[in-house]
Amino acid sequence: MQYWLLKSEPHTFSIDDLLTKPNQIDAWEGVRNYTARNFMRDKMQVKDLAFFYHSSCEIPGVVGIVEIVRAAYPDPTQFEKKSKYYDEKSTILNPRWITVDVKFKEKFKEILPLSRLKESIKLKDFVLLKKGNRLSVMPVKDMEWNAIMGLL
DNA sequence: GCCAACGTTGGC
DNA sequence: GCCAACGTTGGC
């Protein structure tokens, strides 16, 4: 069992958007970075838990928790010509990008802002806080997960 | 909107 | 396989 952090821009897909989906489940589509993809493809498993993180917005931070309910499968948006995630080099037989299904678990009463994570000494080595980090899917150590939960 | 940091592309 | 140019991310 592995913990994760998943970034999303709330104006594209927010935790409230997830709440509107059937069974509160949706595909985590549009990951187009190889490192992030490899984490999802090779390490992410059903029952893993992930923080839902809002980025590129007024107050970036952790807003809740989701559970992985379906492991890696080809991301359908790579085949959709009209999608901004379309990839002409992907084929059905040889898809380049994958997605997983996530299910809503919990929304925090208030956002846990990035600024508060930065204040935690326990999180000084957390990948999210590393200078220049741009990964949209990253593993979270047990200790880091617990430290973040402890800030709520 | 700025810009630092990083990833990707493509010419050689 | 190198690396310059370009594109993207994401906090501020």
Side-chain angles (χ1 to χ4, degrees), chain A residues 9 20 23 41 51 73 87 96 107 131 136 139 144:
Chain A
E9 302 185 13
T20 68
N23 300 317
R41 184 189 62 191
F51 286 128
Y73 65 97
D87 186 338
R96 186 183 278 203
K107 181 182 173 182
K131 194 176 176 182
S136 62
E144 293 163 343

Side-chain angles (χ1 to χ4, degrees), chain A residues 21-38:
Chain A
K21 301 291 176 181
N23 300 317
Q24 300 178 331
I25 292 174
D26 200 29
W28 198 264
E29 294 171 337
V31 172
R32 294 293 181 270
N33 169 284
Y34 290 105
T35 306
R37 179 203 67 181
N38 293 348

Side-chain angles (χ1 to χ4, degrees), chain A residues 43-61:
Chain A
K43 305 285 184 193
M44 207 175 261
Q45 295 184 306
V46 170
K47 295 208 164 80
D48 282 357
L49 297 178
F51 286 128
F52 197 125
Y53 181 89
H54 282 178
S55 66
S56 293
C57 54
E58 199 167 349
I59 304 172

Side-chain angles (χ1 to χ4, degrees), chain A residues 11-132:
Chain A
H11 64 86
T12 303
F13 186 75
S14 70
I15 195 162
D16 291 324
D17 293 328
L18 179 59
L19 281 168
T20 68
K21 301 291 176 181
N23 300 317
Q24 300 178 331
I25 292 174
D26 200 29
W28 198 264
E29 294 171 337
V31 172
R32 294 293 181 270
N33 169 284
Y34 290 105
T35 306
R37 179 203 67 181
N38 293 348
F39 277 134
M40 292 171 76
R41 184 189 62 191
D42 303 334
K43 305 285 184 193
M44 207 175 261
Q45 295 184 306
V46 170
K47 295 208 164 80
D48 282 357
L49 297 178
F51 286 128
F52 197 125
Y53 181 89
H54 282 178
S55 66
S56 293
C57 54
E58 199 167 349
I59 304 172
V62 181
V63 291
I65 296 172
V66 296
E67 180 181 345
I68 311 305
V69 292
R70 182 177 173 190
Y73 65 97
D75 182 343
T77 60
Q78 69 196 306
F79 307 122
E80 294 167 8
K81 280 218 165 91
K82 281 177 284 179
S83 170
K84 71 171 196 166
Y85 300 123
Y86 177 68
D87 186 338
E88 60 176 10
K89 291 178 181 155
S90 274
T91 63
I92 299 286
L93 286 177
N94 197 8
R96 186 183 278 203
W97 305 110
I98 59 96
T99 187
V100 299
D101 285 356
V102 301
K103 181 177 172 63
F104 174 83
K105 286 285 281 185
E106 182 179 345
K107 181 182 173 182
F108 300 157
K109 285 207 175 74
E110 296 174 2
I111 188 169
L112 182 52
L114 176 63
S115 58
R116 285 216 53 214
L117 304 185
K118 286 181 173 172
E119 290 167 2
S120 168
I121 188 74
K122 290 178 188 163
L123 295 174
K124 66 180 176 56
D125 294 323
F126 187 29
V127 192
L128 178 74
L129 307 181
K130 293 285 181 194
K131 194 176 176 182

